[in-house]
Amino acid sequence: MFIMLSLPLLLLVLTGHIGIVRSSCTSKLEKSLFDDLIGMMLKLKGTGHGVELRQNEIPAFTAYRNSVQTLSPTTIVKFDKLWMNNLNAYDVTTGVFTAPMPGLYHFAAVVMSESAKILFLNLWHNDTQMAGSYTNGDGHKTGTIDVVLSVKKGDRIYIKCRNNTTQKIYSNSDNYSTFSGYLIAK
Ligand SMILES: *[C@@H]1O[C@H](CO)[C@@H](O)[C@H](O)[C@H]1NC(C)=O
Ligand SMILES: *[C@@H]1O[C@H](CO)[C@@H](O)[C@H](O)[C@H]1NC(C)=O
Ligand SMILES: *[C@@H]1O[C@H](CO)[C@@H](O)[C@H](O)[C@H]1NC(C)=O
Ligand SMILES: *[C@@H]1O[C@H](CO)[C@@H](O)[C@H](O)[C@H]1NC(C)=O
């Protein structure tokens, strides 16, 4: 009888106690998680990662075409319109990005072919031919180039005609062909 009565009472006391322990544990845990997060954020700020730079201090561009460009065998593609060009490192008159500071950069391009025509292009790093894009077939095709490069100050990145015959990169007012690059880390 004593046991039957006191068990629920004991459980009540125990669960009440556990409840208190648990809630104080949770807030302690939350506090330490919060401290960890603050610590991580402070550490990130000190790594020299891009987060240290303000938006307009990070080399970053997106250039595009809204018209066709005819390319002779070694012509550089001119993405002649700009949505963004921090530090003016991309030159719309030549199609060349010149790195204003050394670092790790991401470059990407989307290039559309004329309907049913071959489009064969490469991304170049200075005088080194790198990633290629080749499209061939019915209708308009989009080729893509996507690289991460370690770049020195003054290095040139651009996209050039590969095919040794005349070809055309297609675009219209829908802005199908684009070229972007930005600094990931110094
Ligand atoms: C270059 O493009 C032309 C015209 O689109 C095509 O006939 C030819 O096969 C291409 N050459 C190469 C090497 O891709
Ligand atoms: C790339 O070319 C530029 C000149 O156009 C030069 O200043 C730079 O040192 C070259 N970079 C490499 C890695 O050769
Ligand atoms: C142009 O490409 C064709 C087809 O691949 C090839 O036979 C020819 O040798 C190339 N010409 C030059 C000058 O590279
Ligand atoms: C192409 O880009 C220009 C400039 O941002 C913009 O005004 C235009 O609406 C774009 N075209 C389309 C079809 O989105």
Side-chain angles (χ1 to χ4, degrees):
M1 189 68 175
F2 171 71
I3 291 166
M4 279 177 76
L5 271 177
S6 63
L7 245 181
L9 203 72
L10 189 69
L11 279 175
L12 205 73
V13 170
L14 271 177
T15 50
H17 185 63
I18 287 167
I20 289 160
V21 170
R22 187 183 290 148
S23 75
S24 88
C25 247
T26 307
S27 70
K28 264 186 200 158
L29 193 66
E30 272 169 6
K31 168 97 172 59
S32 94
L33 275 175
F34 182 72
D35 288 348
D36 283 351
L37 277 171
I38 294 289
M40 273 165 65
M41 284 164 78
L42 288 173
K43 272 182 200 155
L44 267 177
K45 270 184 82 89
T47 56
H49 187 271
V51 291
E52 209 183 356
L53 296 171
R54 290 170 174 278
Q55 244 198 72
N56 58 6
E57 294 169 342
I58 297 174
F61 74 94
T62 295
Y64 65 99
R65 288 197 64 86
N66 61 6
S67 63
V68 171
Q69 182 187 359
T70 301
L71 307 166
S72 346
T74 55
T75 310
I76 292 174
V77 180
K78 283 185 202 167
F79 297 88
D80 58 352
K81 300 275 188 296
L82 287 167
W83 277 314
M84 120 119 24
N85 195 13
N86 282 354
L87 309 183
N88 289 316
Y90 179 81
D91 186 342
V92 288
T93 65
T94 59
V96 177
F97 170 82
T98 305
M101 59 178 80
L104 198 64
Y105 285 77
H106 179 219
F107 296 95
V110 176
V111 289
M112 188 175 271
S113 67
E114 283 223 300
S115 187
K117 295 279 167 59
I118 288 168
L119 182 60
F120 196 6
L121 304 170
N122 283 98
L123 179 131
W124 288 68
H125 180 183
N126 264 11
D127 302 316
T128 306
Q129 183 177 301
M130 304 199 71
S133 167
Y134 178 85
T135 50
N136 183 7
D138 296 341
H140 295 281
K141 303 285 174 195
T142 45
T144 55
I145 286 176
D146 198 300
V147 294
V148 171
L149 299 172
S150 178
V151 165
K152 296 195 180 73
K153 185 176 184 213
D155 283 8
R156 293 159 293 125
I157 312 291
Y158 51 95
I159 289 170
K160 196 161 83 172
C161 182
R162 167 73 165 275
N163 194 324
N164 64 15
T165 62
T166 299
Q167 51 178 352
K168 287 179 180 175
I169 177 169
Y170 182 78
S171 198
N172 65 16
S173 58
D174 280 312
N175 312 323
Y176 288 123
S177 291
T178 62
F179 181 31
S180 304
Y182 57 88
L183 179 73
I184 298 169
K186 288 197 282 180

